[in-house]
Every structure is written in structure tokens, then in C-alpha cells.
Amino acid sequence: MATHPRTHFENDRLSGDFGATRALSSAIAAPLSDADATIQPMPDASPAKWHLAHTTWFFETFVLRDHVPGYRVFDARWPFLFNSYYNGEGDRHARPRRGMLSRPALDEVLAYRDHVDAALAGALPDLPSEALILVELGIHHEQQHQELMLMDMKAAFAENPLAPAMWPASPQCSGEGRNPVSQDGAAGLRPSPEHINWIEGRSGLAHIGHDGRGFAFDCEGPRHPLLLAHHALADRLVTNGEWQDFMADGGYARSEYWLSDGWAWVQAEGAAAPLYWREGAGGWQRFGLDGLQPVDPAEPVCHISYYEADAYARWAGARLPTEGEWEAAAATLDPGAGNQLDAAGPVRPLAATGSGLRQMFGDVWEWTMSAYLPYPGFKPAEGTVGEYNGKFMCGQFVLKGASCATPRGHSRASYRNFFYPHQRWMFSGLRLAKSL
Amino acid sequence: MATHPRTHFENDRLSGDFGATRALSSAIAAPLSDADATIQPMPDASPAKWHLAHTTWFFETFVLRDHVPGYRVFDARWPFLFNSYYNGEGDRHARPRRGMLSRPALDEVLAYRDHVDAALAGALPDLPSEALILVELGIHHEQQHQELMLMDMKAAFAENPLAPAMWPASPQCSGEGRNPVSQDGAAGLRPSPEHINWIEGRSGLAHIGHDGRGFAFDCEGPRHPLLLAHHALADRLVTNGEWQDFMADGGYARSEYWLSDGWAWVQAEGAAAPLYWREGAGGWQRFGLDGLQPVDPAEPVCHISYYEADAYARWAGARLPTEGEWEAAAATLDPGAGNQLDAAGPVRPLAATGSGLRQMFGDVWEWTMSAYLPYPGFKPAEGTVGEYNGKFMCGQFVLKGASCATPRGHSRASYRNFFYPHQRWMFSGLRLAKSL
Amino acid sequence: MATHPRTHFENDRLSGDFGATRALSSAIAAPLSDADATIQPMPDASPAKWHLAHTTWFFETFVLRDHVPGYRVFDARWPFLFNSYYNGEGDRHARPRRGMLSRPALDEVLAYRDHVDAALAGALPDLPSEALILVELGIHHEQQHQELMLMDMKAAFAENPLAPAMWPASPQCSGEGRNPVSQDGAAGLRPSPEHINWIEGRSGLAHIGHDGRGFAFDCEGPRHPLLLAHHALADRLVTNGEWQDFMADGGYARSEYWLSDGWAWVQAEGAAAPLYWREGAGGWQRFGLDGLQPVDPAEPVCHISYYEADAYARWAGARLPTEGEWEAAAATLDPGAGNQLDAAGPVRPLAATGSGLRQMFGDVWEWTMSAYLPYPGFKPAEGTVGEYNGKFMCGQFVLKGASCATPRGHSRASYRNFFYPHQRWMFSGLRLAKSL
Amino acid sequence: MATHPRTHFENDRLSGDFGATRALSSAIAAPLSDADATIQPMPDASPAKWHLAHTTWFFETFVLRDHVPGYRVFDARWPFLFNSYYNGEGDRHARPRRGMLSRPALDEVLAYRDHVDAALAGALPDLPSEALILVELGIHHEQQHQELMLMDMKAAFAENPLAPAMWPASPQCSGEGRNPVSQDGAAGLRPSPEHINWIEGRSGLAHIGHDGRGFAFDCEGPRHPLLLAHHALADRLVTNGEWQDFMADGGYARSEYWLSDGWAWVQAEGAAAPLYWREGAGGWQRFGLDGLQPVDPAEPVCHISYYEADAYARWAGARLPTEGEWEAAAATLDPGAGNQLDAAGPVRPLAATGSGLRQMFGDVWEWTMSAYLPYPGFKPAEGTVGEYNGKFMCGQFVLKGASCATPRGHSRASYRNFFYPHQRWMFSGLRLAKSL
């Protein structure tokens, strides 16, 4: 993350961002009971309560403890519980057992948040710039956890046979999502691959990576040149309807479309549809933050693994974009536009509207065919806070853009999200690309 | 369980027992938050909320649904969640995922209890005798789950690094427990194996098994004769102090004391002390319903597996009792005496007092060397409710007596508790025996 | 095993038994290539080469090394490889990795056998009686491994898609086996449960266990009294034809017939037929030491687990015998009669012939419903050689009789074979029993 | 692989290469017994017999069966056994069970080889060019399996407590290896990181990938431009001596040097040294094709995982090279030089000699920090034979160069070897790089 001198104006902005971010986390957690906030559906996911406490621990530890003389830690036993992966901060509770923490209760964690928020708000005007940088980092860190909270609660509620909705379905939103292709008339309700418009991308010399102006995570830099071959990107995301065509064509049963690891994954998981899809009497449904709802063929497909994205692209005679191709195409787009998270609610990807290169930011994170590896000259951030992005540069793929669950303002063209190829509980989808 | 004609007096007793049993379950759950009641520490254990609902489902299904015309099921989606193992009652939620049920909330489950209690109390006077039998069975079933609730909550809280106490330690109780050997003077604070008095048991023809008078589970009968060889039983349970001698003598590190399966278990688990024991600066502590407390050398050792019990007995030059030896010795004892569960609270085994054959009922369940197998002529109870005890007659060992967590009145000499040899989250201990 | 003074006559017998036993092992291994003798199909099984070496190690270690001054160990590195479970004899190679020992080669192991055989034959006349006892133990030990060799090679060859036969099918033997019911005429080719004759067993006081005359393993004693309830035993084993009726009736798909652990095993294994059965175009085949052959409906069912035996018995409205019932019935039968192993070849169970209580010794080991536990007053044999039977008295069930792969003369009425309830690579079957 | 017209001269060359390659495989297998050639030490590895048969199956299937009219398959049951991963060729025997195939015997497999060799030699002069391409592919395919055979036999023999040598140690070779630093005198017996000379690499525009002249695997192309940042490569490989410094500095115990996945691997494996290293009374030894030998500090470290290579580089303040950096530096070097496989024998990496950029081809494969992913415009080869390289482009890293076990002539600058980051049974090592 970049370091630079700050002005009063920036301090005010930071203070505002801090407050807004902290409030959004609380709003996301508002529908949750203590029990809802405690359970952990799988080792990859964390309880909502843990997210609420961990993000608070980050501010408490790296800002208040380290930069605010006289600050008293809220509870000396809690850092062991709410440290995530920072070895430099000592031992910690085993990740797969986070769902065992019925204590502290949600109320106590919320009190912890209030305590730290008050202390930090009070201290903010006088914090040295190296601490302000950590506040900014903490805000972006918490935004990541906001998306994780939505992912993890969806995973948790999906385990419940009662299929509870975290929020009621949003009618207008549903309306938008369900009927976008109705103008096509009865003969063409479902978009098909023929409807893709291919947009030629920049080729030759390009630059990607963060340029150091404004906040970015360490792994986004350094900005560097690279060469792009002739290629084109689809103007929109792959839809549920198209995915059903893939399924109907035996996509999950034909090994020729799958990577070797992907085929092994299909067999081991019995995968036959995107995560959270369930076949019922009335056709396919998908579980979401608004409970069980029919699969909308016009919406972008979501909750797919890299293996699935790659297999679909082969089936479609195309491929996934590279990180460079995607970023070059996104460079002039507004990263704050699109279907991103503005307020707590039953977010979901929405059907494409308009024309041109659409859905680049928002709706779903887009799998690229690029491995998540260091850029030339990459150096992890100094100190314990640097114990993160660089540690994961092995075996994962980059996803670009943002999803409907990404807090608006969090992402940018250089943003590098990353997951293992088998994971799919995040809001992940795909856009096709092809070499020209 | 025996069937027999009932009188008004018995109906009143049943009604009283029903109310008292249902109230005790609620009292046990009273210290729990919604989150506490939701988590599941391991597949063998269930959330407290699940126990509260499952016992209620039992009455709702087998009594109200089947015998009370017009009864409306509280929530038609819940039987899927709260059926345990009765295949005859249809599919059910997977046991290892019971901890995912943040919904229904604890309050909803308590409302379910109220609903069923009211319906059953109203219906009781008019129930046919075959339904009354099921009410009685349901009461005994719920008593089993009361003990399970205490076991499972202990296991759940033991997972929390904060080591929360379910109840504050009971001072007088602690007092009793900690000083019973203080009369021995400074030279003899710790009982040692030399202090065991051996009580010769009955040999030759004996009868064991339930005789059909009063309630019993199907697996306790039929009553049948058997031959007992010359033998003696220790007059008391093995203590924590004695167990520490075993540990100090390398008990967990010397394969010669262990069954082959037991030795494999020691290696795989890294077992080096009873479950819930933790070594700290001030010596050994044990986690209990009253949190972390010092190990009291005079109290009976608790939370040991069959493998441990068997290894200890070999080390001590003795063996475990057989089921027949134990039951013959207990036949004339009062099964309602001893340290058993009278009210919700931080139960724990207590040091032996008095003389003679002590601690036979209460404190800890006693491992026998008898496999849990059908008695000659055993027939499972008819119908779905018979889908239980008989299904588990394979690979488990019988434990006799009762523990400090067993509701007083639940057990009797013919009672057959059973667990797999590796399990130890129940209140299990041992009494030595020897062949003469 | 019993100790008693020996005569010259006995020494001669021992010498003869030793030679015959050693020769039979070699004959069993004769069809094997070096590679055949090296592979290990699963951790429960051992390579043939290992059996050949381990039985030799037993004589070398406990007789030659300990009792023959000046004996030089054949290869000082081999005891580590060929010790099985005797902790008293030091560390050893991990059992699941026995299949990695391509060296020493089969020829070297056979040379080891020759070396030890010559040394032992030379030493035998002068061995002290405590060593002669060990020779006798070693002979019986090797007989056990002869049966294990047959079991383990069958398991190994069953893994090969080429389905190699260890020996060609024996035509006359096949003839006997396939047509025994042809006398019944066209209307009754397949025996059905109705054809069972029930033979009432002894009830009241009986004695079981070895009386100390002649050789026995430690676990067979002490002889002791017990009480038997009224019961009857089927006069013959359950057949393949009857098993197919069970399968046709949905036996493997109906949970009501299965123990809880058994049902979990069925699900986990996808069990739908006895081990080694394969369904082909022409119906069911079974893999055997003579390769793939049609399932003969008149032959006893073989290679079934305890779970399957128990489920079948419930389906048939019967139960398994107890160890005591079986042994009391067998007490006056000749343990050396029946279809047992006389010479290396494609042994298999054969259809019952004659009348009365048939097939008690030979054909298949018979599952009993008795857990393998110590008899009253049981003491393991002293020293390292006692580190065996007693170590396994947990979680296993007793099988009685003998199989077609048991060396004739090895078994007796008091013999206690034992396996875990899920195991079925041994020659195991069942005889029905019922309470009267 | 490139297609191009062929001349008589080329046919002769192909015929010679075919014969030489087939002969080398036999020579590698010559020290093996039937049992040696049968065992499989882990699912990643295959038995030597399988390699010998599979490479033969490749020629039989894709050349003889498809292009030689009238060819009769040697044994119709064998393709099921010896197909590896070609789904297009039908079902196949499960890879982890390859070690169960004691039949066919090694002799039969060698007869299979002779049969196919004779048929192919006879057919070669008349084969159409599309078949000749497959012959050439088959030769390179067999060369890969020659290295795999050496890797897999090493892994198999390493499992044997007797630590058998496949070949006796080569004295002159050992001499070379052990004393190369002795000229340095007493003050400098062990090379240390200070002795590395850094050689600046090409920066700016470079081209990598195969240019289509001569044979290459499909994944090596298309040749394409890329930009290289300023960097330098070490002039030699990291040595065992340097690795011991890393170990002595707590390298395996300090999480700060490890990727997150790498640290988890260290914990799970208990990794504390390269594979095949064993600590004994006289210091570290390493198991090799010549048995157990002392670790030579001057030889390149070998049998390390990506995690270890990456951790070492961080510890040394450097990084691994990228694929592009390595290939650009190697472009003008002779890929046929260096310590590569010329004849069957106890190959092992050797200490660096001379000066300049050394050890680029031979000794050990060099881990790069580049993920194994398709080059821009990559298309898998058509047909079943294309079912290979492209299927594995997920989760693996590229290794460049060649090892002492790579048949000389097999590798080239564009060669892309690939393994998962946890694997280390191949001859893998590392060369340091740094950004300038």
C-alpha cells in the first residue's frame, strides 16, 4: 500500500470512511441471531461473529495498541481467538474450530466493536501518519471481510434444511433480474452464446499493476509493462441460461472439457451444477441470501469453481481471459460503477443491461487463467501486516473485477482477488475470451 | 419395557414424573445462550438445542401424533431435523451437521416444548394404556438425554479457549470433594491401591437382567441365570490420585499394559491423561461444568476410555468386573442412592466416604469387561421405538451403575449403558475386580 | 498352551509335524512368482513372502536363538522385517508397508527357510522341553499363517483385472460342488430356508474351553462351566442360493435387518454381495483360488462380514449361535473331519452332503454372536510369545469350526478364531440358530 | 509437436533413435527382479514393469494398431492395464493400484516389448509420415518414462529398510563428486552463498517457446515475445552444504520463510530435510540409486519441493527465476551438455566445475516461480495423444533444464517440466535469482 503525506481533508475522509465501513459491517450482521453468528459451515468459512471481532482486533492491535499510548486491550484473552494468520502476532485458535466459540456472545463482540470504534475515533485526529496508513489498511481489510461475511453466512444458511433467508427477496431487484430479456419476445427468452459480442482488446505493450496513487494492497504492484497478444473479450458475463445449455449438453459428464484436476474434482464432489443449485419439482432453484429462488436464466452464473469456468470455456470454444487482458480492458472503466454492495441486503448478480463492455465491475468476480503470483519486483509490505498476500502466492488463480457483495469503492482495475481452483463459495463467475 | 395395567395412582405419578423431567431439562439448559445451545463439538455429541427438541419430538410423534386425534404438529418441517435414528420415521438431518442449525432458535425450541407439554398434559388423563407406556418410555428417554446434554455441553465448552464454566463451582461440594482424606493425616493424603478393600462377590448360580416389574429398557431383559466364578470387587472406584501414579509409572507409554487397539488409540490420539485434563504451571487441572479446576486426587477418575480402564487394571494387577459380577453385587443396593443428578448444576464425581461396597450408583459409570450383546432370548421392542438398543449390539462395552450426571431414579442394577471402547466424553470411570 | 512331559514318541511326532507343516507352506507358495509373493493387497493382509519368512523367524528367534547355543542368525537385518507384533522383540517394519519388500527375494526367503529347517531338525532331538513347547507352538502358528497365505493371495489376485487363478479349478471337486442337489429333481434345484433341519442343542449346564490335554492356544482356556438356554442349531451352513434369495429380497437395501454399524458399513462400502462376487452377463461369479467361476447355489456362502451374517439371520427370522452353543454341539464331533486343507490347491467350501449336524468343521468359519473376550480366569502365556491372543480381546467376534483353508488337525471344538465385524477376506460363513 | 516432411535420412535417424531408446529402457530395468519391477511405493509413482509396458502400449496403440494393417494386439486384455490417462482410449486400471499387478510378469512384459519392437522395426520403412510423427512422439514419451523409472525405483527402494542399491556406487563418479572443493584448501571446504557469482540476465523484449524446428511437446509453443525485467541468475545450483546452513539456521522451523501452503506442508509431513536424507551416527546420509551414501556438501541439493525451494530463496534474500528468465539465459547454451543420462547407472547430481553459467542442463531440474499455464495461442495436439500436457495446466510449477536422470537429447531450452509444489521425488533442485 502506498505511503504519502496526508492533509486534514484526508483525515476527515478517513474518519468518514472508517465510520461508514464499521457501520456497514454491523448492518450486514443485523439480521443474525447470536447462534447464526456463531456457526461455521466449513473450514474455509468463518462465523460472522469472528469476522466482526477479527476486523476489530486488527484496529485494536495494529493501531490502538501500537500507536495510542495508554490504550487498554478490551480483553487480553481475545487476541488468541481473533488473530487470523499473523504468525508475528503469536499463536491463535485453530481456524477449523472457530465455530466452537459460542462465547464471547454476539453482544459482547458488538460491545468490543463499540469500544474500539470510540477509542479509534477519539485517537484519529492525533494519529501519526504511519498509523493512519494502518487505519486505511484496516478499512480495506474490513471491506474484504464484509464480502466474506456475506459468503460465509450464505454457506452457513445453505446447510440448514429450512433454507432460511437472511433478508427477504428484494422485489424490484428481482423484477429487474427476472425480466431483462422479455423485450426479446417469446421466441428468444434465453440468451445463448450467439448473442455474445466480442470486443477486441488492446494488444502489444500494456501496463498493469497499481501505480501507487491511492490505496492498494501490496500484491497489486509494482506496475509493470507486459505484452498482450491479439484477443477479444466477451461483452458480458456467461449467464445461468447458457450454463444450463452446458449442463444439458453433458458438460459435467464429459471428461474432454475438464482439466485433469478438475475431472477428479467433479468425480469426488459429484458436481453437476453450480454451488447452491438444487433441482426441484419446478426446475432448478438456487439458494441465496434471499432463500431459495428460481434460477433466473438471464442472470450471470455464480458460485462456480475455476474448474467449472475452464470447462465451460472449452465447451464454448473459447478460453478465460488473462489477468493482463482483463486489466487492460478495465483500465478506463469506472471501478465504482455496476452492481456492487451499497447497503446490507440480499445482493445477487443481475442480468446485463445496456451495451458495450458490461459487468466488468460488480455482479461476480471473474476467473482469469492467470495464476496468482508476484509481479516483477514485488516486495511484501513490511512487518506483521505484510504477512498476508504474499504468503498465498501458490496454487491459486486471480479473479478480477468485483461482485455484488463487494463494497463499492473497494475494488479497482489492479485489484487481484485469488482463490484455489476448487473453491466456489465466493461470488464467482466468468467472462469468455478468445485469441484472435 | 414391561406392559401392565395402570391405576389412577400411576397416572398421577406419570403426570408428575413427566412434569418434573421436562422441567429438569429446561433447568439444565437455563445457563445456555442461543449460541451455546447450537454448537456441536464433535459428531458423537449433539447441540443442547437438539436434545431439547428431539426429546419433544419423541412425545409429539409417538404419543400426540399417534394417539391424540386432532393434534396438529407444531412445525411440519421439524421432524426431519429432530428425528435421531428411527429409520421407520423417515429421513433425517445428518448427525454430524446438527451444529449447523442456528434456526430454529433456542426460544423457538422452548416454545415447541411448551406447546407439546401443554398438549400432553391435557391429553394424559385420557390416553390409552399403550400411549401411557410411550409416555413412560419418553420420560426415561429424556432422562438419558439430560445426561447427554451435560456431557455434550462439557465437550462443547471444553473446545473454547476461554474455558467457560456452565455453572459456578459449588463450594460446599468442592469442600466435600477435596478433603475427604484429610483425616488420614499428613502422611497419607493420597489414597493408594493398598487402601482398596476387596469384597468377595457371589459365585455360582446368579440371575441378572430385569425381572419385568417396573420400567426397563428392552435390552435389560430377559432375566436369566448365569454362573459366576470366584471373584472380588474393589470396595470403591479408582481415584485421580491412583491414576496419577499410573501416569507417573509410564502407564501411557508402555505397550505391555494395552490392548492392541488401545495402543493404536494412544498413538493416534497422543493420549497421556484422562480427557479434559490439562497440565499447567500449578499441576494438573481438569475442565468441568464448573470450568477449570485442580484435579482432586481423592475424587474418582472420570472421562476415561475402555482402553484406559483396561490398561490401568492390568497395571494394577487386576481386571475389570464382568457385567454379571457387578449386577449380582448391586442387586441388593439402592439404585437411588449415591451421587446422582437431582438438580441442574456443576455435577462431578466425589470422593468415597463411609465403608463397604461404595459408589456403585452415582459418581461415574463403571466400565465392565462385558461386550454389549443381547441376553438369551432378547427381542427388540415392537415398532419404531424398538429401533434402538438392539441396533447397537456390536463393538461396544457395558458400563454399569450411574454417574453424577444421571438423573436419580433413572438407573437400576439391570441398567446397561454402553459405549465404544475409545469413547470417553461420558462420565466414565472404573472399579477394579479380580479372580480368586 | 499346556505344558506336560514329553516322550520319545512325542518327539518323533513333533519332528514329523514340523517337517510336514513346513513342507505344506512351501507347497502353498509353489505357484507364486517372486512378484506374486511380494504384493500386499491391503493393510490387513500380508505378502506370501512375508508369511514364509515370519513363520521362519518365529522358529529362529524363540527356538534357535534362545535355546540352541551357537546358532547364528541367518541375517541380522531381517528380524526387523519379519517380526509381526511382538513388542517384546523390538521395533519392526510397519505392517501396511510390507508390500514394499521386493528384497529379500522369494528365493532368499526360501533359502532362509531351508537354513532354519536344517538347524531346527538338527537341534530337535536335544531341545529342552520348554523349547519343544515352542516348536509345537510354532507349528500351530505356521498353520495359522498357511490359512492366512491362502486368504491373502486370494485378496491379492482379486485385485488383478486379469483375475489370475492360483491353481486350475479342480474338476472332480467342482463336480461334487455343483451338483449335490440334483437328486432333488428339476423342481428343487436350490435349497431354501425351509430345508433346514433344526437340531436342538444341549441346554442347562455345559462346559466349554480347552481342558489342557494336548495343544491349545492360551485364549481357549480355562475350561469353565456355563448355562445354555433352550436353542437349536441349523443342521447345515447357509448356502449361496439362500444368500441370493436374501439379495433378491432387498437384503442389502433394507436398514431394518442391519446393526447400526453394519448399515453404516453397507453404505460406506457400497456392499451388495459377498466379497469376491461379481455380476456378469451370465449371472453371478465368484473369484477364488481357481479364478473366476460361477456362483454355485448349493455351496455355503463364504466371505461375508459379521454385519452380513447378522443381517441375514434377522432376515431369516433366526440368529447366530453363541460360542457356547456351538462348542457344546461340536464337543463330540471329530474336529479332523470335513472339508479342510490337506494339500495345496484351490480349496473352496462344498455343498453339504449326508444328514445330521453337518459342516461343523471345514468349509467355512462360522460367525458366532459372541464377542472375543477372555474366559473367566484367563491368563496370557508368559513371555513374548504371550503377546498375542489376549491383546486382541476387544471389538472382535468369535468364529468357530474350521474352513476349507484350515490345515486339517489345526482346529478343535475349543478353537476360537476371531475377526472384526467388518472383515470378510477370511473364509467365513454362517449357520443359523434360534432360541426355543 | 511440429509436423514437417521427412527424408530417408530422417527415417534412418528415427529408426536408430527408436532402437537406442528402447534399449536404454531395458538397460535401466536390467538390475530389477520381477518383484522389484512390480511394487509401487506411492500413487504418484508407477512400477517399473508398468513403465516398460505402458511405453510399449503407446507404440502398439497409436502406431501399430492405427497405422499397420493386420497388426494383432499382443494381448487384448492389456490395454486396460497399461493405458495411463488417455480417456479417449477407454477405461483403465486405477493408478494407485498399479502395484497389484504381479501378473503379467516382468518376463512377459519384456516379451511384449520384443514383439512390438520387431513389429515396429519391420513397419517403420513404410509408415506414413503421420505415423512417423507418432513414432517420434513415442520416443520422447519413452524418454520421459525412463526418468520416471529412475525416480520411481528410487522411491520404491527407499521404502525398503534394507536400503538396497540399484547399482553399486560409481567410484570415479563419487570421486569427482566428493572432492571438487578440496583444491580450495582447509579454509574453504564448503561453498557458501558468498561464492555465488550473479550473472545479469537479458532484460526487455525476449522470445520464449519452441520455434517449431525439430521435435517439441505441444505445451512448449507457440513461441512468443515477453518482457523481462532487470534480473540476475546465480551461476550455479544451490548445494547440499548451503542447504545444511539453511537447516542449521532453523529454516524448516521458521514460518516467515514459507508460503502458507508450504508451512502447512512442513507441519503435515514433519519435513526437516530433503527427501531421502537420513540422519545417522556419522551425520547426514542420502539414499540414492547407489544406496545410502554420505551427503556431499558440494553436490547440488536434490529432491526438494517447490515449497522448500521457495523458502530457501527467501532465507537467502533471493528468489526463484521465472521461466522466461531461465529460458532466455539458456537459449544459447547446448542442451545436450552437462550431467545427463547416457547409460543406465547410479546417476546423481554432481558438484559444479568450471565457471560461467553452469549446470543449466543436467544435474537437477530447476524450480521456477512460473506456474505451468498455456502460452498465448496454445492449442493442444489433436486427437487422443493431445490428451496430455494441456490437461495438467493447473496448480503446478514449471521446472527447467534437465537432470542427471534425463536422457541426453531429450530436453531443450523450451522444455517445460512441471510438478505440484509438494512433490519432490523427482530430481529437483534450485538456482537462485534476484531482481536488480
Side-chain angles (χ1 to χ4, degrees), chain D residues 70 80 93 96 201 204 275 335 348 360:
Chain D
F80 178 84
H93 190 226
L275 186 63
R348 62 165 218 256
M360 289 286 280

Side-chain angles (χ1 to χ4, degrees), chain A residues 255 258 260-261 369 374 391 420, chain D residues 255 258 260-261 374 391 420:
Chain A
S255 66
W258 295 82
S260 179
D261 285 358
M369 61 180 284
K391 287 277 174 183
Y420 288 98
Chain D
S255 66
W258 295 82
S260 178
D261 284 359
K391 286 276 174 182
Y420 288 98

Side-chain angles (χ1 to χ4, degrees), chain A residues 192-212:
Chain A
S192 74
E194 285 73 32
H195 290 79
I196 291 178
N197 291 309
W198 291 98
I199 298 182
E200 189 170 343
R202 165 201 291 260
S203 63
L205 186 68
H207 286 78
I208 66 166
H210 193 254
D211 64 8

Side-chain angles (χ1 to χ4, degrees), chain C residues 1-234:
Chain C
M1 118 218 70
T3 65
H4 52 105
R6 287 170 185 273
T7 65
H8 275 293
F9 173 77
E10 282 185 314
N11 246 11
D12 284 352
R13 182 189 57 75
L14 199 60
S15 177
D17 286 354
F18 176 76
T21 299
R22 298 290 286 172
L24 180 54
S25 298
S26 301
I28 290 172
L32 302 179
S33 71
D34 186 16
D36 292 337
T38 295
I39 61 176
Q40 179 180 32
M42 59 175 177
D44 277 346
S46 295
K49 203 165 64 181
W50 190 91
H51 288 297
L52 294 170
H54 165 70
T55 48
T56 305
W57 166 86
F58 188 98
F59 288 111
E60 181 180 61
T61 301
F62 298 118
V63 180
L64 297 175
R65 185 198 65 181
D66 290 354
H67 294 282
V68 177
Y71 176 77
R72 290 280 296 271
V73 165
F74 184 76
D75 189 315
R77 302 169 305 165
W78 289 17
F80 179 83
L81 302 178
F82 299 125
N83 179 5
S84 54
Y85 40 68
Y86 301 93
N87 288 303
E89 284 294 321
D91 287 341
R92 58 196 174 279
H93 190 226
R95 177 175 186 133
R97 302 307 279 169
R98 287 179 185 162
M100 291 300 105
L101 301 179
S102 61
R103 315 276 179 98
L106 178 55
D107 282 350
E108 294 174 272
V109 167
L110 294 175
Y112 178 36
R113 290 183 69 86
D114 289 345
H115 174 89
V116 165
D117 287 355
L120 203 138
L124 198 65
D126 304 319
L127 284 179
S129 71
E130 66 268 28
L132 293 175
I133 289 168
L134 291 163
V135 172
E136 180 151 50
L137 178 59
I139 290 168
H140 290 267
H141 171 255
E142 181 144 353
Q143 288 179 319
Q144 292 181 313
H145 281 275
Q146 287 165 348
E147 181 155 7
L148 286 167
M149 255 200 284
L150 292 168
M151 289 158 53
D152 294 356
M153 280 314 306
K154 193 170 180 176
F157 279 10
E159 291 288 326
N160 193 322
L162 304 179
M166 192 149 162
W167 288 279
S170 164
Q172 66 277 46
C173 190
S174 300
E176 278 178 46
R178 272 192 202 127
N179 302 308
V181 290
S182 60
Q183 301 97 325
D184 289 0
L189 278 173
R190 174 178 293 189
S192 75
E194 284 73 33
H195 291 80
I196 291 177
N197 292 309
W198 293 97
I199 297 182
E200 187 168 343
R202 166 202 289 260
S203 62
L205 186 67
H207 286 78
I208 65 167
H210 193 253
D211 62 7
R213 283 179 293 182
F215 177 85
F217 287 106
D218 56 1
C219 64
E220 297 176 49
R223 189 162 178 83
H224 61 283
L226 83 171
L227 297 176
L228 298 177
H230 289 290
H231 69 278
L233 298 180

Side-chain angles (χ1 to χ4, degrees), chain B residues 34 52 64 75 115 129 147 154 156 245 250 258 283 290 407 412:
Chain B
D34 185 16
L52 293 169
L64 297 175
D75 189 314
H115 174 88
S129 72
E147 181 155 6
K154 193 171 180 176
D245 292 341
W258 295 82
D290 50 0
R412 60 206 144 259

Side-chain angles (χ1 to χ4, degrees), chain C residues 230-311:
Chain C
H230 289 290
H231 69 278
L233 298 180
D235 65 335
R236 59 164 176 77
L237 297 167
V238 170
T239 65
N240 286 329
E242 289 164 342
W243 199 268
Q244 286 175 294
D245 293 342
F246 170 65
M247 290 163 60
D249 196 34
Y252 283 93
R254 293 166 65 176
S255 66
E256 64 265 35
Y257 299 133
W258 295 81
L259 288 163
S260 179
D261 285 357
W263 188 239
W265 174 85
V266 165
Q267 309 297 309
E269 295 286 309
L275 186 63
Y276 302 135
W277 284 33
R278 300 176 191 177
E279 198 161 19
W284 283 100
Q285 293 189 295
R286 58 97 189 122
F287 180 76
L289 294 166
D290 49 1
L292 268 180
Q293 304 288 348
V295 165
D296 183 331
E299 288 182 5
V301 69
C302 188
H303 295 297
I304 54 167
S305 68
Y306 179 83
Y307 300 133
E308 289 168 289
D310 177 82

Side-chain angles (χ1 to χ4, degrees), chain A residues 87 205-206 225-227 229 255-261 263 306-307 314 319 369-371 373-380 387 390-397 420-421 435, chain D residues 87 205-206 225-227 229 255-261 263 306-307 314 319 369-371 373-380 387 390-397 420-421 435:
Chain A
N87 287 305
L205 186 68
L226 83 173
L227 297 175
S255 66
E256 64 263 36
Y257 299 133
W258 295 82
L259 287 163
S260 179
D261 285 358
W263 188 240
Y306 179 84
Y307 300 132
R314 283 171 206 251
R319 62 169 172 82
M369 61 180 284
S370 298
L373 291 173
Y375 283 159
F378 167 70
K379 294 262 184 257
E387 264 193 65
K391 287 277 174 183
F392 295 104
M393 290 176 167
C394 179
Q396 310 204 41
F397 282 86
Y420 288 98
S435 299
Chain D
N87 288 304
L205 187 67
L226 84 171
L227 296 176
S255 66
E256 64 265 36
Y257 299 133
W258 295 82
L259 288 163
S260 178
D261 284 359
W263 188 239
Y306 180 84
Y307 300 132
R314 284 171 206 251
R319 61 169 172 83
M369 61 180 284
S370 299
L373 290 173
Y375 283 160
F378 166 71
K379 294 264 185 257
E387 264 192 65
K391 286 276 174 182
F392 295 104
M393 290 177 166
C394 179
Q396 309 204 41
F397 281 86
Y420 288 98
S435 299

Side-chain angles (χ1 to χ4, degrees), chain D residues 405-421:
Chain D
T406 310
R408 193 180 306 280
H410 179 69
S411 192
R412 59 206 146 257
S414 63
Y415 199 94
R416 309 177 80 193
N417 204 346
F418 49 90
F419 283 95
Y420 288 98

